Amino acid sequence: MPKETGEKLIASNKKARHEYLIIDTYEAGMVLTGSEVKSLRMGRASLVDGYVFIEHGEAWLDAAYIPEYLNGSWTNHAPRRKRKLLLHRQQIDKLYQKTREGGMTIVPLRLYFLDGRAKVEIALAKGKREYDKRQTLRERQDRREADRAISARKHLGE
């Protein structure tokens, strides 16, 4: 059987990009059980409630939802258990330092397979205020309207 290559997206956390200002992103591996990997290969997961914390020098992903494997037996995993993240020591230390300063948090953005290995993209983020969220929505709407006007102008010119 040929080895899997490329990137296959499993789940993304669009809400995080709306709620937080992304400062820095990291790619981390995860320690998973066999039934979790099989469930992920079926494309079933959710990062909406997930968060990352650092405890005793280790990074952990908690409250991310990976449902039980349908064909699993009594050895199936708990859907919302905490999962260890695999990062370099310097990255963990930097994340720990930044979150201790205050106002910063670590959120999962995407869950995907990269060359057959499950990875999670995490981000060092700062919570947005309500007016920041409104401004982001306004900018996106203005950009959309400008693109529409440009494309309409192109169609008229042809």
Side-chain angles (χ1 to χ4, degrees), residues 15-100:
K15 184 178 172 186
R17 293 197 183 272
H18 178 70
E19 298 285 329
Y20 299 97
L21 176 65
I22 307 301
I23 296 173
D24 203 3
T25 60
Y26 300 88
E27 179 181 76
M30 290 189 295
V31 177
L32 299 172
T33 64
S35 61
E36 287 174 320
V37 175
K38 289 179 178 183
S39 186
L40 288 176
R41 289 209 186 280
M42 295 175 70
R44 305 172 65 217
S46 174
L47 295 173
V48 173
D49 296 330
Y51 62 96
V52 177
F53 65 95
I54 296 173
E55 180 178 75
H56 305 298
E58 296 178 333
W60 297 88
L61 173 66
D62 199 10
Y65 181 72
I66 300 176
E68 291 184 346
Y69 180 56
L70 295 176
N71 299 326
S73 63
W74 57 274
T75 58
N76 238 334
H77 63 277
R80 290 197 184 270
R81 75 177 187 91
K82 71 178 191 176
R83 296 163 178 93
K84 187 175 179 180
L85 297 180
L86 305 172
L87 289 163
H88 293 284
R89 166 67 41 216
Q90 296 91 340
Q91 291 174 325
I92 293 173
D93 292 341
K94 182 180 177 184
L95 288 170
Y96 182 75
Q97 196 66 31
K98 294 284 187 179
T99 55
R100 289 293 153 247

